Amino acid sequence: MAHYKMINQVKDYAWGSPDLLAQIQGRVPEGRPEAEMWMGSHPNGSSQVVTPRGETVSLADLLAGSPDMLGQRALTLQAPGEDVPGLPFLLKILTAGKGLSIQAHPDREQAREGYAREDARGIARDAPRRTYRDQNHKPELVCALTEFWGLCGFRPLEELQREFQGLAPALARLDHPLLGPALRSFLEKPREETWQALFLAILDCGVDRSFRDDLVRTLGSCLEGSSGDGPSSRDRYWWVGELLDQYPGDPGAFAPLYLNLFHLQPGEAVFLGPRILHAYLRGAGVEIMANSDNVLRSGCTGKHVDSQELARILSFESFVPRPSRGKDEQGLRAYTTPAREFELVRVLRQGRLEKREGPAILLATAGQVRCGDLLLESGESAFVDDATDAIELSGPGVASTYVAALPGAISFAPTVLPAGADRPDAGAACDGAS
C-alpha cells in the first residue's frame, strides 16, 4: 500500500494563461504562458513521484517496473500496441488565457491506423509535424474551476442553415469554385452530407493562401457591427472578433459560427467523445481523458495543421454539449461518463476515501488537504496505487479535492462530527477554486 506526492510538468503552450495556474497554486506568476499541468504517466509528460525514502523517480518508470501498482482492471485498459504499463487516464489542470486550436481527437481504430502510417513514413514520435503520438483514443471531460468558455460540436443543421443564409450573398461574391457550389447545395438541402461538403470547402479555402485573406476579410466585414438574431448570436460574433484578434488572418477564428458555444460555471462539466470538433476558449478547469496526446487541428494554432486528416476522422453529426453538475453521492460528487478508462469525482467533506480497485490521483485545487500522511497544498497532487484501499482526507481545502480513478472505484465515508463542532469543510457548498 502506497501513495506518493507528485511533481508535475507544466506545458507552456502559447494559449496558456500567465496567471490562472499561479492563482490556483497560491504563488507569484512567472510571466509566461502556463497552459496545462499534466498528472500521469504519458511519455510526453510523465509526472515524477517522491518515494518514502525521499527519492524522486518518474511515475512512468515506476509503473513500468511495478505493474502490480496499477491492478488488473487498469492493465486491461492499456492502449493497443502499448507494451509499457501506465495509467489508463491522464489528469490535467488546464488554464486557457486565449483560444486553443480548433481540434478533434481520433477514435481508437483511427489512432491505431494513423500511428502506423506515420511510423511507416519515418516521422519521429516527438516530431512537430507528427499527428498521432500514440495509439489511443482521447475521450475527455473538463470540469470548470473558474468561469469557462468553449466550443463543442457542430450546431444543429437548421441553425447552420440560418447562419449561412445570412452570409451567402457575401460568400457568393467571392466566386470560389469549391465554396460557391457547396454553399448552394447546403442551403437548398441542409443534410449531414451537404454540411460535410461545405465544411470541407471552408477548410480548403483556409489552406489556399491566395484566397484565405479574402475569405477572412469578407466574413469579418459581414459580422462587424452585426447582432445576429439574438443574444446567442451576439456572443458568437463577439468570440469571432476575439479569436481574430488572437489569431489574425486565421479562418479558424470563425469556428463560433458553426460550433456550439458553451459557458460553464465553477463545478459544471462537459464530456466529449472522439471525433467531435471543439476548442476551449478561456478559463481554468480540471481535465481528465484517456491516456493520449493525439490532437488533429484545423486552425487557431501555430502547431502542425493537417486539415485533410482532420476531415477524415471527424463526425459531421450535430452534437450539442450538455453541461452537468455531476451527481451527489454520500460525501462525493461524481461526473460519470461513457468512458471505460476514467471517472472524475469531487470530495465534498472530510472523511475516508475508499477505493475498491485500481490507481487514483488526488488533486487539491483550493487550500491545504491532508491525504493520510501527505499534506497537499492547492495545485498539488498525489498518486495512489492499487493496493491502497482507503485514505483519510481532512483540511481546509478538502471540499475542493478532485479524484481521478477507474469508473465506479471510489466511495466515501464522511467523518461524523460531534454536535456543535466547527465544520472544517464549511465551504463545501462552494464550487471550484477562488
Side-chain angles (χ1 to χ4, degrees), residues 19-343:
D19 54 14
L20 282 175
L21 182 59
Q23 290 175 19
I24 292 169
Q25 295 180 329
R27 58 176 171 81
V28 176
E30 298 180 6
R32 62 182 177 89
E34 294 179 315
E36 295 177 345
M37 186 180 82
W38 285 28
M39 292 159 279
S41 60
H42 194 281
N44 288 354
S46 177
S47 301
Q48 295 181 308
V49 294
V50 181
T51 70
R53 293 186 293 181
E55 299 171 333
T56 300
V57 299
S58 162
L59 180 58
D61 292 344
L62 181 68
L63 297 177
S66 303
D68 57 303
M69 299 180 78
L70 292 165
Q72 188 56 42
R73 181 179 167 195
L75 287 170
T76 64
L77 294 170
Q78 295 294 301
E82 294 291 340
D83 55 2
V84 179
L87 285 171
F89 51 78
L90 177 60
L91 186 67
K92 301 178 182 179
I93 294 180
L94 181 147
T95 49
K98 63 179 188 176
L100 280 67
S101 56
I102 314 302
Q103 61 184 261
H105 312 300
D107 62 28
R108 262 194 170 173
E109 183 63 21
Q110 291 168 336
R112 185 189 64 78
E113 293 175 352
Y115 187 91
R117 282 199 309 272
E118 292 190 325
D119 264 4
R121 294 173 190 159
I123 303 174
R125 184 170 178 168
D126 59 353
R129 64 190 181 99
R130 178 96 185 197
T131 295
Y132 294 95
R133 300 181 180 276
D134 51 64
Q135 301 185 60
N136 208 4
H137 64 168
K138 195 183 176 188
E140 63 185 42
L141 176 136
V142 61
C143 183
L145 293 174
T146 66
E147 284 194 89
F148 193 94
W149 288 264
L151 301 167
C152 182
F154 290 123
R155 296 168 61 196
L157 290 172
E158 60 273 15
E159 293 185 16
L160 292 171
Q161 184 187 33
R162 287 197 301 271
E163 192 76 74
F164 280 90
Q165 190 75 58
L167 300 172
L171 292 176
R173 289 194 294 271
L174 292 173
D175 196 28
H176 191 277
L178 291 177
L179 184 59
L183 178 60
R184 288 193 296 273
S185 294
F186 174 70
L187 293 179
E188 291 171 4
K189 296 181 179 179
R191 300 172 179 169
E192 189 177 314
E193 57 268 25
T194 56
W195 166 242
Q196 178 175 346
L198 176 55
F199 179 76
L200 295 182
I202 293 171
L203 286 188
D204 286 340
C205 289
V207 173
D208 182 354
R209 291 185 178 274
S210 64
F211 185 79
R212 183 170 60 192
D213 290 345
D214 287 341
L215 176 65
V216 171
R217 187 165 44 251
T218 298
L219 287 176
S221 298
C222 285
L223 301 183
E224 189 174 359
S226 175
S227 60
D229 55 5
S232 62
S233 290
R234 284 195 296 272
D235 289 345
R236 287 196 301 275
Y237 295 175
W238 186 90
W239 276 109
V240 168
E242 188 74 0
L243 289 173
L244 281 173
D245 286 343
Q246 295 171 6
Y247 301 98
D250 192 323
F254 296 99
L257 299 180
Y258 49 81
L259 298 179
N260 296 285
L261 177 67
F262 68 88
H263 178 202
L264 303 180
Q265 296 297 327
E268 292 184 318
V270 160
F271 171 78
L272 58 101
R275 305 176 61 215
I276 303 296
L277 196 64
H278 65 283
Y280 301 140
L281 299 174
R282 183 177 297 164
V286 176
E287 189 181 23
I288 187 169
M289 62 203 66
N291 190 32
S292 174
D293 193 29
N294 286 326
V295 182
L296 291 92
R297 304 174 181 89
S298 70
C300 294
T301 182
K303 296 182 180 180
H304 176 59
V305 171
D306 188 340
S307 297
Q308 293 302 313
E309 183 64 11
L310 172 70
R312 193 186 70 81
I313 68 103
L314 273 184
S315 167
F316 287 91
E317 295 180 7
S318 297
F319 176 86
V320 179
R322 305 292 183 189
S324 168
R325 294 197 65 83
K327 181 181 180 182
D328 284 1
E329 300 169 352
Q330 189 176 24
L332 294 177
R333 179 171 298 166
Y335 298 92
T336 57
T337 76
R340 298 170 57 229
E341 293 89 351
F342 62 80
E343 183 171 78

